Amino acid sequence: MEGPSGGLVRMSGTHAAGGFWTRYVFSRDHKVIGIQYILTAMAMGLVGGALAAWIRVQLAWPGSAGISPEQYPSLVTMHGTLMIFFVVSLALVSGLGNIIIPLQVGARDMAYPFLNMLSFWTVLPACPLMLASFFVPGGAAAAGWTAYPPLSALKGAIPGSGWGQSLWLLAMALFIASFTMGGLNFVATIFNLRARGLTMMRLPLACWTYLVSSILGLLSFPALTAAAIMLLLDRHAGTSFFVPSGVVIAGQVQAHQGGTPLLFQHLFWFLGHPEVYVLVLPALGIAFDVIAAFSRRPPHGYRITVWSLIVVAVLGMVVWGHHMFTSGMNPYLGKYFSVVTLLITLPFAAIGVNLVASLWRARLRWTPAMLWALGLISAVGTGGLGGVYLGNATADLHFHDSYFVVGHFHFMIGMVTLFGTFAGIFYWFPKLTGRLMNERLGRLHFWLTSLPMFALFFLMHLQGLRGMMRRYYEFSQDYVAPVLWLQPVLTVLAFVVFASQALFLINFFRSPFRGESAGPNPWNATTLEWTTPSPAPHGNWPDETPSAWRGPYEYSRNGNESDFELQSAPAAPGVLPSKR
Amino acid sequence: MDDRSPSPLSLAFPLALVILAAAVVGTFFLLDWRLDVASEHGRGVDQMIFFLLVCTGPLFVAGHLAVAWFVWKSRWRDTPAYLPPSPRAEWLATLIPVLLIGAVAEGGVLAIGMPVWGQVYREEPDTLPVEIVGKQFEWIARYPGRDGKFGRTEPTLIDDVENPLGLDEDDPAATDDIVVRGALYLPSGRAASIRIRSLDVLHSFAVPVMRTKQDAVPGLVTRTQMRPTTPGKYEITCAELCGMGHYRMRGYVNVLTPEEFEAWRARQVGWFE
């Protein structure tokens, strides 16, 4: 029996033996590409993390970090851009998604292996391009990761708005092209290459979240692409999409006329808000899979979770304006965006409750992956409740652009996504390398990262309540004085978080050689990726691809001898898997 | 993997969660996070935030305790339940907390939030018209003068010292306009209707103690409204990244008693007078 994916992939010639270059560099194997993404994200993460640490030194001890007020907005902008697009997007979505999806759906590779390779090689040059902007006249882009014009459109408005902003836009264009190709591949793979019997309602939740996240990305990124092109034209071709008439920079009346900065904000957040779910949902999916495996029971409310994901995605597309409550858009829109934004709490809370309820009557196994998944529950709960404050237009009059916002989004797209990424890497590492990561180092890394991160970003909420604004080089306002003593404390916490990543790096790079060797199914898990040897060979299964005969989480079914049943285990002799 | 003896983590982890929840709640009592409030709608904003704190706080604690409890109980369990529970039970277990948080979120914004939103954006009668203009990196206030009209401005006329707003001398409505750099004077007890403009990039007119925040957008006139309650001197700050001097783009709202305000206004002369 030949799985539907087998023929396709073989035809494309992905698995010809090949030499070093075709195997490890210009590889079309989804697992190698996944690792390439993760290594790239790690390198960018070191830069992004170092920028954060550097920024924190300035905030704790103003003037001592060697940062000038001109440079500070550049550092903030680049920290945000690198972390969101080049670390979390690449590691969690492009990287782990590449690794997980074909294995979990029982396919030999992605639907379009060449496109997959192209995606990686499109985003790779974007990294040096983005980093190079530190070394051009005027320095790196400085208009924030949101790149609001006119600051980002007019060269004289801020030093980073010269060459730096142009490089930023070009690097982002490459990133978007890569991410779009990747998303198309994910969607095509999940829809078309599922194993026989793997119905949509038998799909592991990790795959579901990648599917929803990819569709969201495909629908929303074009808006940013359009905005980026229009901004480039405003900067270099004399158009005025985003710049109105009569703007005076350094005493000079600018030639632009007729545009409006609000248009850019709408286009940006039309992507920007769905992007949050693009990043957060896969982390939740990974947590569901990891928690199921290490609590030895199926997740609570599989169907409710799936439908909630879909509702989150649909609502997530029509709430972008909650980033613009104070922007000057019509106040009536503030009401609409507030009410609809808060509707998202319903499906989102359902997902959160299902995560918690999955632990009920469980028998836990304390692997590092499980620790990260449990930590994720705390982070997504706390961050999610913070969202209830910010989706509220009235409360946002106080919170907008304050450290409350900074703390909130670091909970969601900092902690939740990173916790999910770490859980995923620990969990699927044996499938890639054939060896386990070190548990003792993993636990130490968990405690030294999660607790300081929680304290760091939680305390930022309180600084925001006191009225501390984000993107400030230093604080001399009287009213924030009572919470300024926290600044050095937060900086020390940030340094602990940054330094403890060394434990992860050591573990990650040592374990492929020194780690305990793992069998095909070290966690006694149920989904299809655990039916092939570890490391999984090119083409994923040495002979036939598996078929799915049952749901993804058959743990501890009463009356069974073992406490798990692989998805590929036939139900009864002679019964065929139901049609795909 | 040894399943026979409970891992010390099954004790440490729930304990950590309980301590975490207690620490978060404790922080609210230990830290001085409460900011004074000096405007009418600002009290409403605070009530909104206070409502959310009171409602989401218990949900936060309950969530953490639930995880801690389930994890703690798992210490003694040998065989977890496969539990495909009845769909009905599954729906109920999910639905109740979901409706609870939904009621907090939507109920809060509809019952408490929106009336305050209206106070800020629904124009009241007999307001004091003022204008605040943002430019890199300064706030400039303008009052319409005796005629009650804001005069015409022209970007080409802007001179940082002689004419910072670019007032047009040929427009009779402009001659008596009062321009004040870096400070806004308002009477207490009377709503001020504030038109906000920007000469260059985005800024945001933020007065944290008033709970006021409204972006200054070049090419647009945005509007906000506030009724100061307490005389005093309050800081204006910028809440939208506007360049390298963003952090030091300061100004003051001076709230005077109505009599003091009238006396102050009587002392002002128009920009071209």
Side-chain angles (χ1 to χ4, degrees):
Chain A
M1 187 176 64
E2 183 62 79
S5 55
L8 188 75
V9 170
R10 237 166 243 166
M11 253 178 1
S12 70
T14 315
H15 306 294
F20 173 80
W21 286 93
T22 47
R23 270 181 145 182
Y24 298 112
V25 183
F26 297 102
S27 173
R28 282 179 274 179
D29 183 337
H30 70 99
K31 300 182 291 298
V32 176
I33 296 172
I35 293 170
Q36 288 174 326
Y37 272 122
I38 290 176
L39 293 176
T40 310
M42 277 181 184
M44 297 301 266
L46 284 178
V47 181
L51 288 177
W54 198 13
I55 291 167
R56 282 306 325 176
V57 174
Q58 163 64 26
L59 289 175
W61 302 285
S64 68
I67 304 172
S68 67
E70 287 87 348
Q71 291 163 332
Y72 186 78
S74 286
L75 300 185
V76 174
T77 301
M78 293 301 279
H79 165 70
T81 307
L82 292 181
M83 287 304 199
I84 292 168
F85 296 111
F86 290 85
V87 180
V88 175
S89 299
L90 291 194
L92 176 63
V93 184
S94 303
L96 279 172
N98 245 304
I99 290 164
I100 297 168
I101 291 169
L103 282 164
Q104 279 201 336
V105 301
R108 295 215 178 267
D109 209 304
M110 282 289 176
Y112 312 113
F114 181 81
L115 190 71
N116 201 18
M117 178 177 83
L118 194 63
S119 304
F120 174 72
W121 288 100
T122 306
V123 80
L124 191 64
C127 300
L129 203 59
M130 192 58 97
L131 295 180
S133 65
F134 279 114
F135 306 103
V136 296
W145 79 278
T146 50
Y148 278 4
L151 205 55
S152 58
L154 302 173
K155 294 186 181 66
I158 192 169
S161 202
W163 263 93
Q165 192 69 45
S166 293
L167 288 179
W168 188 93
L169 285 164
L170 288 173
M172 282 305 296
L174 288 175
F175 169 83
I176 296 170
S178 158
F179 208 68
T180 307
M181 290 189 279
L184 280 170
N185 229 336
F186 285 7
V187 173
T189 306
I190 294 173
F191 276 147
N192 298 311
L193 297 191
R194 296 197 310 282
R196 255 160 59 93
L198 192 64
T199 59
M200 288 309 276
M201 284 297 161
R202 284 180 178 178
L203 207 57
L205 284 168
C207 273
W208 258 114
T209 53
Y210 277 109
L211 177 66
V212 174
S213 141
S214 303
I215 294 174
L216 265 183
L218 289 174
L219 291 175
S220 57
F221 263 107
L224 182 62
T225 315
I229 292 170
M230 287 151 91
L231 187 53
L232 267 176
L233 291 174
D234 272 11
R235 292 171 52 79
H236 297 291
T239 60
S240 297
F241 291 107
F242 305 131
V243 187
S245 56
V247 169
V248 181
I249 300 281
Q252 295 295 314
V253 181
Q254 305 290 305
H256 295 269
Q257 53 183 336
T260 171
L262 283 189
L263 175 61
F264 182 89
Q265 297 184 24
H266 281 292
L267 290 171
F268 182 88
W269 289 115
F270 188 82
L271 156 83
H273 193 71
E275 168 74 359
V276 174
Y277 299 114
V278 170
L279 301 179
V280 167
L281 296 185
L284 298 177
I286 289 172
F288 271 110
D289 276 22
V290 168
I291 287 175
F294 297 128
S295 65
R296 313 309 295 164
R297 54 152 292 187
H300 180 87
Y302 172 92
R303 276 169 184 272
I304 300 174
T305 303
V306 167
W307 285 109
S308 298
L309 287 170
I310 294 169
V311 176
V312 166
V314 171
L315 289 176
M317 292 292 298
V318 293
V319 296
W320 73 90
H322 65 227
H323 296 267
M324 300 168 59
F325 284 141
T326 65
S327 69
M329 70 176 180
N330 190 318
Y332 286 112
L333 285 176
K335 290 189 178 187
Y336 159 78
F337 280 120
S338 193
V339 169
V340 182
T341 297
L342 292 172
L343 276 183
I344 296 186
T345 48
L346 297 170
F348 210 82
I351 297 172
V353 168
N354 287 349
L355 271 173
V356 175
S358 298
L359 299 168
W360 184 51
R361 291 224 210 152
R363 172 92 174 106
L364 302 192
R365 292 185 179 174
W366 292 95
T367 61
M370 184 61 168
L371 282 174
W372 285 114
L374 290 174
L376 179 144
I377 299 181
S378 164
V380 80
T382 314
L385 288 175
V388 176
Y389 293 66
L390 291 171
N392 186 312
T394 305
D396 196 61
L397 286 175
H398 187 45
F399 291 135
H400 180 77
D401 251 39
S402 75
Y403 266 77
F404 194 95
V405 177
V406 178
H408 168 70
F409 69 67
H410 277 93
F411 257 89
M412 296 310 273
I413 53 176
M415 285 166 74
V416 172
T417 56
L418 275 187
F419 287 15
T421 306
F422 287 133
I425 288 177
F426 271 96
Y427 186 68
W428 281 289
F429 192 84
K431 191 47 65 188
L432 296 173
T433 62
R435 289 171 190 268
L436 300 167
M437 286 176 84
N438 185 292
E439 298 222 344
R440 186 187 296 266
L441 267 180
R443 283 196 295 268
L444 197 60
H445 171 230
F446 169 77
W447 291 111
L448 284 177
T449 302
S450 61
L451 288 179
M453 256 186 152
F454 192 105
L456 170 61
F457 298 134
F458 169 69
L459 289 170
M460 283 185 180
H461 285 78
L462 289 164
Q463 292 186 316
L465 271 164
R466 186 78 208 187
M468 256 175 78
M469 296 298 168
R470 69 194 281 204
R471 294 166 171 167
Y472 268 29
Y473 173 73
E474 64 181 9
F475 293 89
S476 48
Q477 286 76 5
D478 292 337
Y479 57 88
V480 299
V483 287
L484 276 188
W485 68 271
L486 282 171
Q487 293 289 57
V489 178
L490 298 192
T491 299
V492 170
L493 290 170
F495 268 84
V496 174
V497 172
F498 185 57
S500 67
Q501 301 320 304
L503 297 172
F504 175 74
L505 292 179
I506 291 169
N507 204 350
F508 185 87
F509 287 107
R510 216 178 64 137
S511 299
F513 310 102
R514 300 277 189 79
E516 199 185 318
S517 64
N521 190 0
W523 317 123
N524 289 344
T526 51
T527 39
L528 293 179
E529 72 269 33
W530 306 108
T531 61
T532 185
S534 306
H538 284 224
N540 291 347
W541 280 268
D543 29 61
E544 279 176 16
T545 55
S547 302
W549 295 76
R550 53 187 75 237
Y553 305 111
E554 299 266 317
Y555 291 103
S556 309
R557 179 156 222 169
N558 294 333
N560 283 2
E561 264 175 50
S562 73
D563 77 337
F564 72 104
E565 200 75 73
L566 280 168
Q567 234 182 330
S568 62
V575 180
L576 286 170
S578 60
K579 73 176 169 63
R580 196 158 69 81
Chain B
M1 206 174 307
D2 188 4
D3 280 338
R4 276 159 300 185
S5 60
S7 156
L9 279 167
S10 58
L11 175 64
F13 197 89
L15 204 62
L17 282 180
V18 172
I19 294 171
L20 190 73
V24 163
V25 175
T27 316
F28 278 94
F29 292 97
L30 292 175
L31 278 181
D32 187 9
W33 55 271
R34 295 195 72 160
L35 185 58
D36 295 338
V37 59
S39 72
E40 199 175 88
H41 79 270
R43 289 183 188 152
V45 171
D46 277 12
Q47 275 166 15
M48 185 71 256
I49 295 172
F50 188 69
F51 169 83
L52 291 173
L53 282 171
V54 168
C55 293
T56 58
L59 290 172
F60 166 82
V61 172
H64 278 70
L65 290 185
V67 174
W69 176 247
F70 293 159
V71 169
W72 170 253
K73 290 289 280 183
S74 80
R75 268 170 85 80
W76 297 284
R77 188 163 291 114
D78 288 328
T79 48
Y82 172 71
L83 284 174
S86 68
R88 196 183 138 81
E90 214 170 45
W91 271 105
L92 275 181
T94 309
L95 213 58
I96 292 167
V98 166
L99 290 180
L100 210 60
I101 179 80
V104 168
E106 291 290 358
V109 76
L110 290 174
I112 306 175
M114 282 307 140
V116 180
W117 187 252
Q119 272 184 328
V120 178
Y121 289 109
R122 195 178 302 122
E123 188 133 21
E124 288 181 31
D126 188 37
T127 51
L128 175 80
V130 294
E131 182 182 77
I132 188 95
V133 181
K135 67 180 280 264
Q136 286 179 336
F137 301 100
E138 182 185 5
W139 293 106
I140 303 170
R142 176 161 71 132
Y143 295 79
R146 289 177 302 277
D147 60 359
K149 284 186 200 152
F150 288 108
R152 194 166 53 234
T153 58
E154 193 60 56
T156 47
L157 297 176
I158 290 175
D159 179 291
D160 197 37
V161 180
E162 298 290 324
N163 193 354
L165 293 180
L167 283 172
D168 185 352
E169 205 168 353
D170 297 334
D171 179 12
T175 47
D176 65 344
D177 282 7
I178 299 162
V179 176
V180 188
R181 298 184 87 139
L184 189 60
Y185 288 81
L186 297 177
S188 62
R190 182 176 173 195
S193 171
I194 306 172
R195 31 181 276 152
I196 303 165
R197 294 194 301 127
S198 165
L199 299 183
D200 39 42
V201 296
L202 292 172
H203 303 279
S204 189
F205 172 68
V207 191
V209 176
M210 300 284 184
R211 309 290 187 269
T212 285
K213 199 172 285 159
Q214 187 68 49
D215 287 11
V217 185
L220 285 183
V221 177
T222 57
R223 217 195 125 264
T224 190
Q225 193 168 264
M226 64 165 140
R227 189 192 296 273
T229 51
T230 324
K233 189 178 179 187
Y234 308 110
E235 282 171 274
I236 305 173
T237 188
C238 181
E240 196 64 66
L241 180 62
C242 63
M244 60 192 183
H246 174 49
Y247 69 99
R248 55 179 164 80
M249 183 164 164
R250 307 271 287 277
Y252 288 95
V253 178
N254 293 293
V255 178
L256 312 172
T257 61
E259 302 77 44
E260 282 171 347
F261 178 76
E262 287 311 323
W264 173 83
R265 193 152 69 166
R267 284 200 304 275
Q268 304 305 309
V269 286
W271 190 255
F272 293 117
E273 288 173 340

